[in-house]
Amino acid sequence: MDEDFTQKLLYTNDKKDLGSISIILLGFTLFLASMLSAGALGIELEFKDFIISVIVGNIILYIYTSLLVYISSHTGLTIYLLSKYSFGEKGSYLVSILLGTIQVGWFSVGVAMFAIPLEKITGIPIITLIMISGMLMTIISYYRMKSLIILGIILIPLFVILGLWSVGISIYDVGGISNLLQIELKSIGNISNGISLCIATFISATMLFTDFTCYSNNKKTSLRHVITTVLISIALMFFFGMIDTMAIGKFNIFEIIFLQSLMVLVIILLGFNIWFINSNNLERAFLKIRKPLKNKFVIVNGVMGTLFTIVLYENFLGWLTFLNVSIPNIGAIIIADYFIINKSKYTKLQETSLEKVNVIAIISCGAGGLMAYFLDGIAPINAMVFSAIFYTVLTKMKSKYAINL
């Protein structure tokens, strides 16, 4: 998978079984940020409402991601190339910019997650640690140090063990599972917000699954890997964060780890985990940029991500809200365009006459975001449904009445 297929279609002989890259998909979701989100839910929701939020959120993520994965594995196209059909040749750059910006945002969060616990151990000023770690992560992404990425993948199972270890300590400290379940949490949130938070944490990562599932030579295999990755890894990370929050009563996962005297071990494992995730974040950002400009963009993205580290980390929930009103719309429009407008069949990309900019897609994307932000209910569901409805109706009206936009 060394060759860059983000600019062109994969042919049959380029495709392969996904068993070799399923661990990469796990790497996108086994990320400490998910435990931070779970901690936020643990503070706001009772245990029953938390379980409902995670289950419903997982189901929605699975359906959404599975549809995109099906399209990707069927067409051999990544999310960026698929967006050309619905957003247009130049309009698809909007998708690239938005998803690229979001990947840089997660890079910022990752830098903070590495620097903050390190500051607690070393006493080195946080700004210094942020600058150094951000710079090193950028250099690694620029030179694509595969050995370190492979090492990060190997350490993913150890990251799961760490989570189980932390949960075990938490349960032991409160006197067992029965005592843990008797802890009364004050519910100050609602299930809708909980579901939205669950979806927002993972939706940008699961959309990028298409960068890997387009290599699949079997759609059933692709869907099976999505089931494994989404349902197991997401549930695990939220479970870890929730149990620790219930037992210790703190929202910040770093404070919990520090209190459990696991900080040194976490620095080692977390360092490799975040290095792996962040090298992918910079690598996947702005994939439409061609070399050699792409390498320069990696540097620019790394610098910008490092500079905005503290801002994004301190406004983490606001960051998730932004994801909820901007990301689901894109996938929903692609899904509607493929299954409804084009009846589950795209002509070959190189043989398709694409619009320069599909104004309808951009209007629908914006309208879905506004509906998600202002209407009550589950924000990402509102974004998906309204974006798809607007896109489908307006596209059919344009075709029926020969409207030029």
Side-chain angles (χ1 to χ4, degrees):
M1 290 194 305
D2 294 335
E3 186 174 356
D4 188 356
F5 287 101
T6 58
Q7 305 291 338
K8 60 181 181 180
L9 173 70
L10 273 84
Y11 296 98
T12 302
N13 59 347
D14 295 318
K15 296 193 172 188
K16 57 192 72 178
D17 180 75
L18 281 181
S20 60
I21 63 171
S22 60
I23 193 69
I24 298 178
L25 303 185
L26 283 168
F28 274 104
T29 50
L30 291 174
F31 189 33
L32 200 67
S34 54
M35 295 177 70
L36 198 62
S37 298
L41 279 183
I43 291 294
E44 294 189 357
L45 297 178
E46 295 178 351
F47 186 72
K48 179 188 71 174
D49 292 342
F50 172 85
I51 296 297
I52 293 173
S53 297
V54 172
I55 291 175
V56 174
N58 266 342
I59 291 172
I60 294 169
L61 276 170
Y62 171 68
I63 294 172
Y64 177 83
T65 308
S66 294
L67 291 173
L68 289 174
V69 164
Y70 178 91
I71 299 171
S72 172
S73 60
H74 185 73
T75 61
L77 299 174
T78 66
I79 195 73
Y80 301 93
L81 293 178
L82 286 172
S83 67
K84 289 189 175 185
Y85 287 96
S86 49
F87 285 82
E89 180 70 36
K90 300 298 183 183
S92 63
Y93 290 164
L94 174 64
V95 176
S96 179
I97 291 170
L98 183 57
L99 291 179
T101 301
I102 286 169
Q103 293 309 108
V104 174
W106 278 120
F107 174 88
S108 297
V109 174
V111 171
M113 288 180 172
F114 181 74
I116 289 173
L118 194 60
E119 186 263 345
K120 289 183 177 295
I121 290 180
T122 64
I124 298 173
I126 187 67
I127 297 299
T128 302
L129 290 172
I130 286 173
M131 293 301 173
I132 293 174
S133 57
M135 178 182 67
L136 291 176
M137 290 178 192
T138 302
I139 293 172
I140 287 169
S141 183
Y142 182 87
Y143 287 106
R144 302 182 186 182
M145 294 175 64
K146 295 180 182 179
S147 59
L148 185 56
I149 293 177
I150 291 171
L151 184 57
I153 296 172
I154 293 173
L155 286 170
I156 286 172
L158 297 180
F159 194 71
V160 174
I161 293 173
L162 172 67
L164 291 171
W165 189 355
S166 177
V167 166
I169 293 175
S170 295
I171 293 175
Y172 177 81
D173 287 344
V174 298
I177 295 177
S178 58
N179 289 341
L180 178 73
L181 295 177
Q182 291 176 6
I183 296 175
E184 294 186 6
L185 298 175
K186 184 179 180 181
S187 181
I188 59 175
N190 57 62
I191 292 178
S192 294
N193 290 340
I195 295 170
S196 297
L197 192 66
C198 178
I199 294 172
T201 303
F202 294 101
I203 196 164
S204 60
T206 55
M207 280 190 70
L208 292 178
F209 283 6
T210 61
D211 288 354
F212 301 99
T213 56
C214 63
Y215 290 92
S216 175
N217 53 19
N218 188 308
K219 289 185 281 293
K220 290 183 179 179
T221 301
S222 298
L223 293 177
R224 186 170 70 248
H225 281 285
V226 170
I227 292 173
T228 302
T229 303
V230 173
L231 298 186
I232 295 179
S233 62
I234 293 176
L236 266 179
M237 299 309 289
F238 268 72
F239 171 75
F240 293 160
M242 177 62 178
I243 297 300
D244 282 343
T245 299
M246 287 178 63
I248 298 179
K250 290 187 176 293
F251 157 73
N252 192 318
I253 189 66
F254 303 113
E255 293 185 39
I256 293 173
I257 291 171
F258 187 75
L259 290 172
Q260 291 177 334
S261 301
L262 296 175
M263 190 62 81
V264 174
L265 180 60
V266 167
I267 289 296
I268 297 171
L269 296 183
L270 177 60
F272 286 112
N273 174 260
I274 287 179
W275 240 278
F276 166 66
I277 293 292
N278 271 6
S279 64
N280 273 297
N281 282 339
L282 286 190
E283 178 64 20
R284 310 319 293 180
F286 302 105
L287 283 178
K288 285 186 180 292
I289 304 299
R290 293 182 181 273
K291 297 178 182 179
L293 285 179
K294 184 177 176 182
N295 285 335
K296 294 180 180 178
F297 261 75
V298 167
I299 297 174
V300 173
N301 293 340
V303 172
M304 293 300 294
T306 302
L307 292 177
F308 283 96
T309 290
I310 294 297
V311 174
L312 278 179
Y313 180 76
E314 291 183 348
N315 296 277
F316 184 67
L317 295 182
W319 165 245
L320 294 181
T321 299
F322 169 72
L323 296 183
N324 266 331
V325 301
S326 58
I327 291 298
N329 331 23
I330 295 172
I333 289 171
I334 291 173
I335 291 168
D337 186 69
Y338 182 78
F339 288 107
I340 301 175
I341 303 300
N342 289 280
K343 310 299 182 185
S344 302
K345 187 176 182 179
Y346 276 154
T347 56
K348 290 183 178 180
L349 186 61
Q350 62 269 34
E351 298 174 1
T352 303
S353 178
L354 299 171
E355 295 184 66
K356 288 295 183 182
V357 177
N358 187 353
V359 178
I360 288 177
I362 295 174
I363 291 174
S364 301
C365 191
L370 290 173
M371 294 296 180
Y373 187 79
F374 288 107
L375 293 183
D376 293 331
I378 303 172
I381 292 294
N382 290 340
M384 294 177 196
V385 171
F386 283 103
S387 293
I389 290 175
F390 276 116
Y391 182 78
T392 302
V393 171
L394 291 176
T395 300
K396 288 183 176 293
M397 287 178 61
K398 177 184 177 181
S399 177
K400 182 177 181 179
Y401 298 108
I403 301 172
N404 290 320
L405 292 176

